[in-house]
């Protein structure tokens, strides 16, 4: 009901704006109008969702180009038609969300009319091109945001702040593409449609490359899932351990103010940090009690292999140190002799140690969370990075979570009950025990 | 630092088929068009000087010098002939088309470009040079705006190249797992990938398909890691089961369906493959087995092993490829040697594959 009222109000507003916009305004040349309508429909359908920091917005560019091209004849009416068309998308049509469609089209039409009126006024005042484009872009953007915010609120109930946060990073790009669009629109009078193709060909090619990038990111994610599946088939403890390490690492990363992209990298690194365990025979992974010298040597060798495999993948390289156990010490000098190790390696090392202590292994029962915290704090600054230790303890305390003895999320049954002593703290528990025993 | 200054200043992008293309050539082309003959030659000389500090200086200097002087000559000739349209913007567009075509053909010849992969970028370069030239004549600020498409292209190609490298590295790391666990000979996945990529290239697949086939080849034996522990396995694995498990493992992820389908078809004893690309992976895997077993003329034996059907086509193509490029085996050895070395650690601690476990 509310949506219908909003939609009819929007249509009314468009009608008033067209009449008031520019009395006596003519229709644009039919061929020019048809060209830009076709262009905007095409630009709209081929839209690819991009991360907001590089929003290649062909439809905004086309609207700006159309305004510049219509200057002189049919400015307001042309902008209204092209703006209206930029509200049409196949998905809204297919899903028959009529109210959303009407609101979208009217709000784009209104923004277009406002921008065109600004452009025309600035042209009459003989304002220089850059300032004119700036004013036009701001008019379009302000109307767009001002109309979209209430509409999104009514139709989907998204919070104001969220919508604004989504839009804000794209503003600089909008200015650049707005300028570009206007420039090309001005060229339309001399070069015709060729001018627009000059601009759109590179943007379309870049957009295609970007969608290949997104496809490959998905494939990469899938590859990591293959690894997780494989490790699950081999050893459920390691699979769950991996997921907990990933979670703790993300808690720390968020607390340390990592960007979205860096968190994504941290997540992938944490998920892959135990890849070498796939090469360790199953009976050694879960062997209760001490390993023989021969077995220990085998596990050592596999740990070595694990480090080398991680070293093959650039984004996992920082993890090689963590996989090397005692080489992951915070005060243990630089990584690979090439200066300081990135924070990610320390984060995963702390998460790994914390989970190793607070879960039951074949060779040792889980420790209480307080003991694990104490151990982390004891070795903070020597074995562990102090910032990461603080971040983890703060994050877990703040959330009121409980881990460790009595709070384990998976109770593993062993043939031989594991002893309840020792503070092992690395990925390969077998090695830690042997080291501790040595 | 120096690398960043020299390659980023040229706005270089990685090409799908290998090599790099500096998008900065667009600025030089626009410069040649805009300046008088003497100024254009000066701009070319400056660009040659900038190219000489580039990491790959000789190729770059040759391209810039040859393309620049051809462009200058073309620009001068275009001005003298007097055929240019009277409309200034259109005249500029034709002028850039002439100079750009000359410059880019020099680039294509010197760098021996793979035209299939470089064509979209040539188009981008030409469009950007035209916009730059027209904008520069109006104002310097507008010229900056006209450079935006170049920056967007650089950004999206950069992100794509990054993820492509990471993806290849992750699959390579995964493919090593059955090998270091002693389930298949070390380097088998990587060698198969090298043969399969060469074969797919030779069979005329497009570059994305070559990538896909190489990935499938690299992971065709991945099922081993979830099938058996080397200690408990009694005899050779059933080829059908391995094929099924490898495919399932990849398919369950939901996104690698096409690779999974390839893997399912690429094991021995499988149903007759309907697709040449699956056959390519299968034949290449078999070739690596033969070479591993020390079969004297492995390439010829390969054709004998596949007496009919699509595998035979692939095997014959591989044989032809080997005749033309005898170093193919060396390439595969070189690719896997590095992996083998890191995976096996030092020679004394090498993980040896047991031939009786070798069952693909």
């Amino acid at each position: 009901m509310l949506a219908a009222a909003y939609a009819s109000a929007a249509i009314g507003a468009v009608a008033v704006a067209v009449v008031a916009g520019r009395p006596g305004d003519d229709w644009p040349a039919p061929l020019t109008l048809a060209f830009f309508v076709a262009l905007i429909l095409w630009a709209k359908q081929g839209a690819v969702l991009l991360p907001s920091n590089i929003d290649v917005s062909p439809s905004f560019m086309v609207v700006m180009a159309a305004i510049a091209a219509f200057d002189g004849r049919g400015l307001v009416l042309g902008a209204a038609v092209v703006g209206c068309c930029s509200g049409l998308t196949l998905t809204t049509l297919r899903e028959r969300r009529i109210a959303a469609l009407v609101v979208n089209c009217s709000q784009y039409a209104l923004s277009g009319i406002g921008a065109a009126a600004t452009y025309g006024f600035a042209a009459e005042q003989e304002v220089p091109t850059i300032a004119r484009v700036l004013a036009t872009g701001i008019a379009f953007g302000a109307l767009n945001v001002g109309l979209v915010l209430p509409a999104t609120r009514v139709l989907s109930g998204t919070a104001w702040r969220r919508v604004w946060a989504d839009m804000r990073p794209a503003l600089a790009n909008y200015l650049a593409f707005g300028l570009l669009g206007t420039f090309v629109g001005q060229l339309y009078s001399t070069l015709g449609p060729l001018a627009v193709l000059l601009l759109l060909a590179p943007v379309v090619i870049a957009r295609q490359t970007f969608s290949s990038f997104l496809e490959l990111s998905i494939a990469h994610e899938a590859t990591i899932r293959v690894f997780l599946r494989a490790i699950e088939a081999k050893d459920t403890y390691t699979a769950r351990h991996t997921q907990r390490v990933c979670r703790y690492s993300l808690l720390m990363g968020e607390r340390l103010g990592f960007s979205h992209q860096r968190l994504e990298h941290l997540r992938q690194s944490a998920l892959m940090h135990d890849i070498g365990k796939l090469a360790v025979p199953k009976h050694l992974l879960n062997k209760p009690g001490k390993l023989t010298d021969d077995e220990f040597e085998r596990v050592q060798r596999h740990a070595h292999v694990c480090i080398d495999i991680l070293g093959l993948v650039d984004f996992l390289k920082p993890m090689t140190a963590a996989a090397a156990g005692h080489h992951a010490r915070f005060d243990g000098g630089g990584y690979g002799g090439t200066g300081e190790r990135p924070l990610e390696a320390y984060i995963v090392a702390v998460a790994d140690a914390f989970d190793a202590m607070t879960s039951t292994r074949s060779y040792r029962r889980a420790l209480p969370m307080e003991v694990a915290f104490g151990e982390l704090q004891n070795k903070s600054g020597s074995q562990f990075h102090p910032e990461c230790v603080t971040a983890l303890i703060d994050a877990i305390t703040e959330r009121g979570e409980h881990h460790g003895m009595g709070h384990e999320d998976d109770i593993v049954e062993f043939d031989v009950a594991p002893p309840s002593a020792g503070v092992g703290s690395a990925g390969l528990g077998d090695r830690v025990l042997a080291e501790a025993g040595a | 630092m120096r690398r960043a200054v020299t390659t980023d200043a040229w706005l270089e992008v990685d090409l799908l088929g290998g090599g790099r293309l500096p998008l900065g050539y667009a600025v030089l082309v626009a410069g040649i068009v805009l300046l008088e003959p003497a100024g254009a030659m000066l701009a070319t000389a400056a660009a040659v000087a900038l190219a000489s500090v580039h990491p790959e200086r000789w190729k770059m200097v040759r391209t810039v010098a040859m393309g620049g002087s051809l462009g200058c000559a073309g620009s001068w000739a275009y001005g003298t002939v007097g055929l240019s349209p009277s409309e200034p913007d259109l005249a500029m567009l034709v002028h850039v088309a002439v100079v750009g075509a000359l410059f880019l053909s020099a680039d294509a010849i010197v760098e021996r470009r793979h035209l299939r992969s470089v064509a979209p970028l040539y188009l981008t370069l030409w469009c950007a040079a035209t916009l730059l030239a027209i904008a520069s004549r109006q104002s310097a600020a507008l010229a900056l705006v006209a450079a935006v498409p170049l920056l967007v292209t650089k950004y999206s190609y950069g992100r794509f190249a990054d993820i492509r490298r990471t993806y290849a590295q992750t699959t390579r790391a995964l493919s090593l797992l059955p090998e270091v666990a002693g389930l298949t000979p070390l380097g088998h996945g990587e060698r198969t990938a090298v043969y399969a990529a060469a074969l797919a290239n030779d069979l005329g697949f497009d570059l994305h398909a070559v990538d896909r086939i190489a990935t499938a080849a690299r992971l065709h034996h991945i099922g081993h890691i979830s099938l058996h522990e080397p200690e408990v396995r009694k005899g050779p694995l059933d080829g059908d089961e391995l094929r099924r498990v490898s495919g399932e493992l990849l398919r369950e992820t939901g996104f690698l369906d096409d690779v999974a389908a390839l893997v399912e078809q690429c094991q021995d004893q499988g149903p007759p493959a309907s697709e040449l690309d699956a056959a390519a992976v299968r034949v290449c895997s078999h070739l690596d087995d033969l070479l591993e077993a020390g079969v004297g003329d492995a390439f010829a034996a390969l054709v004998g092993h596949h007496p009919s059907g699509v595998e035979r086509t692939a095997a014959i193509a591989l044989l032809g490829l080997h005749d033309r490029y005898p170093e193919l085996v060396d390439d595969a050895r070189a690719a896997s040697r590095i992996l083998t070395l890191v995976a096996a650690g030092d020679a004394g601690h090498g993980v040896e594959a047991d031939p009786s476990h070798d069952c693909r």
Side-chain angles (χ1 to χ4, degrees), chain A residues 207-218, chain B residues 160 163 208:
Chain A
R207 200 168 64 171
Q208 249 170 13
T209 312
F210 214 93
S211 60
S212 308
F213 157 77
L214 291 178
E215 261 170 44
L216 219 49
S217 311
I218 293 170
Chain B
F160 180 61
I163 190 74
H208 287 283

Side-chain angles (χ1 to χ4, degrees), chain B residues 63-100:
Chain B
T63 307
V64 173
M66 192 169 142
S69 33
L70 267 177
C72 287
S75 178
W76 174 79
Y78 176 80
T80 345
V81 171
L83 282 177
S84 63
S86 54
E87 159 53 45
D89 286 344
L90 199 58
M92 192 65 94
L93 185 122
V94 179
H95 197 165
V96 174
V98 170
V99 175

Side-chain angles (χ1 to χ4, degrees), chain A residues 201-202 205 209, chain B residues 11-23 25 63 100-101 103-127 153 157 207-208:
Chain A
I205 289 165
T209 312
Chain B
L11 291 176
E12 282 197 335
V13 292
D14 288 312
L15 299 172
L16 198 56
R20 296 164 72 81
L21 176 71
L23 292 175
Y25 286 164
T63 307
F103 191 99
L104 293 179
S105 24
D107 174 76
I109 292 165
V110 172
E111 300 269 355
R112 295 168 194 231
R113 297 284 189 199
H114 210 280
L115 279 181
R116 255 191 310 176
S117 73
V118 90
L121 279 166
Y122 276 178
L123 181 62
T124 297
L125 239 161
W126 176 73
C127 290
T153 309
Y157 268 77
L207 293 163
H208 287 283

Side-chain angles (χ1 to χ4, degrees), chain A residues 190 220 225 229 282 308 314, chain B residues 89 170 229 252-253 342:
Chain A
T190 55
H220 185 239
R225 224 168 306 147
R229 279 269 311 136
K282 197 170 179 171
D308 292 331
D314 283 339
Chain B
D89 286 344
T170 306
E229 292 286 313
E252 270 181 32
T253 61
V342 283

